[in-house]
Coordinates of all heavy atoms in Angstrom, one line a residue:
L1253 N -26.9 49.5 51.9 CA -26.6 50.3 50.6 C -27.6 49.9 49.6 O -28.1 50.8 48.8 CB -25.2 50.1 50.1 CG -24.1 50.7 50.9 CD1 -22.7 50.2 50.5 CD2 -24.1 52.3 50.8
L1254 N -27.9 48.6 49.5 CA -28.9 48.2 48.4 C -30.3 48.8 48.7 O -30.9 49.2 47.7 CB -28.9 46.6 48.4 CG -29.8 46.1 47.4 CD1 -29.2 46.2 46.0 CD2 -29.9 44.4 47.7
F1255 N -30.7 48.6 49.9 CA -32.1 49.0 50.3 C -32.3 50.4 50.3 O -33.3 51.0 49.8 CB -32.5 48.4 51.6 CG -32.9 47.0 51.6 CD1 -32.8 46.3 50.3 CD2 -33.4 46.3 52.7 CE1 -33.1 45.0 50.2 CE2 -33.7 45.0 52.6 CZ -33.7 44.3 51.4
I1256 N -31.3 51.3 50.8 CA -31.5 52.7 51.1 C -31.0 53.5 50.0 O -31.6 54.6 49.6 CB -30.7 53.1 52.4 CG1 -31.1 52.1 53.5 CG2 -30.9 54.6 52.7 CD1 -32.5 52.3 54.0
V1257 N -30.0 53.1 49.2 CA -29.4 53.9 48.3 C -29.6 53.4 46.8 O -30.2 54.2 46.0 CB -27.9 54.0 48.4 CG1 -27.3 55.0 47.4 CG2 -27.6 54.7 49.8
I1258 N -29.3 52.2 46.5 CA -29.2 51.8 45.2 C -30.6 51.5 44.6 O -30.9 52.1 43.5 CB -28.3 50.4 45.1 CG1 -26.9 50.7 45.5 CG2 -28.4 49.8 43.7 CD1 -26.0 49.5 45.6
I1259 N -31.4 50.7 45.3 CA -32.7 50.4 44.7 C -33.6 51.6 44.5 O -34.2 51.8 43.4 CB -33.4 49.3 45.4 CG1 -32.7 48.0 45.4 CG2 -34.9 49.2 45.1 CD1 -33.3 46.9 46.2
P1260 N -33.8 52.5 45.5 CA -34.6 53.6 45.3 C -34.1 54.6 44.1 O -34.9 55.0 43.3 CB -34.5 54.4 46.6 CG -34.2 53.4 47.6 CD -33.3 52.4 46.9
R1261 N -32.8 54.8 44.0 CA -32.3 55.7 43.1 C -32.5 55.1 41.6 O -32.8 55.7 40.7 CB -30.9 56.1 43.4 CG -30.7 56.9 44.6 CD -31.4 58.2 44.6 NE -31.3 59.0 45.8 CZ -30.4 59.8 46.1 NH1 -29.4 60.0 45.3 NH2 -30.4 60.5 47.3
T1262 N -32.2 53.9 41.6 CA -32.3 53.1 40.3 C -33.7 53.0 39.8 O -34.0 53.3 38.7 CB -31.8 51.6 40.5 OG1 -30.4 51.7 40.9 CG2 -31.8 51.0 39.1
A1263 N -34.6 52.8 40.7 CA -36.0 52.7 40.4 C -36.5 54.1 39.8 O -37.3 54.2 38.8 CB -36.9 52.3 41.6
Q1264 N -36.2 55.2 40.5 CA -36.5 56.5 40.1 C -36.0 56.9 38.7 O -36.7 57.3 37.8 CB -36.0 57.5 41.0 CG -36.4 58.9 40.8 CD -35.9 60.0 41.7 OE1 -35.1 59.6 42.5 NE2 -36.4 61.2 41.6
A1265 N -34.7 56.5 38.4 CA -34.0 56.8 37.2 C -34.6 55.8 36.1 O -34.9 56.4 35.0 CB -32.5 56.5 37.2
F1266 N -34.9 54.6 36.4 CA -35.5 53.7 35.4 C -36.9 54.1 35.0 O -37.3 54.0 33.8 CB -35.5 52.2 36.1 CG -35.7 51.2 35.0 CD1 -34.8 51.1 33.9 CD2 -36.8 50.3 35.2 CE1 -35.0 50.1 33.0 CE2 -36.9 49.3 34.2 CZ -36.0 49.1 33.1
G1267 N -37.7 54.6 36.0 CA -39.1 55.0 35.7 C -39.0 56.2 34.7 O -39.9 56.3 33.8
S1268 N -38.2 57.1 35.0 CA -38.1 58.3 34.1 C -37.6 58.0 32.7 O -38.0 58.5 31.7 CB -37.1 59.3 34.7 OG -37.5 59.8 36.0
F1269 N -36.8 57.0 32.6 CA -36.2 56.5 31.3 C -37.3 55.8 30.5 O -37.5 56.0 29.3 CB -35.0 55.5 31.6 CG -34.5 54.9 30.3 CD1 -33.8 55.6 29.3 CD2 -34.8 53.6 30.0 CE1 -33.4 55.0 28.2 CE2 -34.3 52.9 28.8 CZ -33.6 53.7 27.9

Side-chain angles (χ1 to χ4, degrees):
L1253 287 172
L1254 182 67
F1255 281 4
I1256 307 298
V1257 180
I1258 298 175
I1259 293 180
R1261 296 298 175 91
T1262 303
Q1264 183 180 11
F1266 196 57
S1268 299
F1269 174 76

